[in-house]
Amino acid sequence: MEEAPTSDAPLVEAPPTPAPADAGAGFSNAEQAASAEKAALAVASKLNMQALPIRQYLEGTVVPILLQGMQALVRERPNNPIEFLAGYLLKNNPQKS
């Protein structure tokens, strides 16, 4: 029976570190640079939300508005609570533009 070789070296190599940008690279217009930075941060934020565990994702996105809707539901006590809650969530959607 052969023994597996032992080594202290990692089995997977780390990705190479990107080289720094050239001095002439980038935006010459400060407004374009700010816009690009804002877009990059928005993408990074979206990726961070998608990487969260389920509970943290729900607590950061759905639970706050859902609790507010359920409080309104308890105050109103409508005949059709599901329809009421759905309407509340659509009307008070914090992501609505």
Side-chain angles (χ1 to χ4, degrees):
M1 187 179 237
E2 287 184 34
E3 288 187 31
T6 58
S7 173
D8 292 336
L11 298 176
V12 178
E13 292 183 24
T17 305
D22 293 335
F27 294 95
S28 56
N29 181 332
E31 190 173 307
Q32 287 178 332
S35 177
E37 182 178 10
K38 184 177 178 182
L41 290 173
V43 168
S45 175
K46 185 175 182 180
L47 290 174
N48 287 340
M49 280 300 249
Q50 292 175 348
L52 287 175
I54 293 169
R55 183 179 180 130
Q56 286 178 335
Y57 169 75
L58 291 174
E59 286 177 350
T61 58
V62 178
V63 171
I65 188 68
L66 189 57
L67 288 175
Q68 292 172 14
M70 292 178 74
Q71 288 172 346
L73 179 72
V74 169
R75 280 192 306 270
E76 299 286 328
R77 297 187 185 252
N79 290 332
N80 190 342
I82 302 299
E83 188 174 308
F84 177 88
L85 184 58
Y88 182 91
L89 292 174
L90 290 171
K91 181 180 176 185
N92 296 288
N93 181 358
Q95 297 177 345
K96 183 172 52 174
S97 302

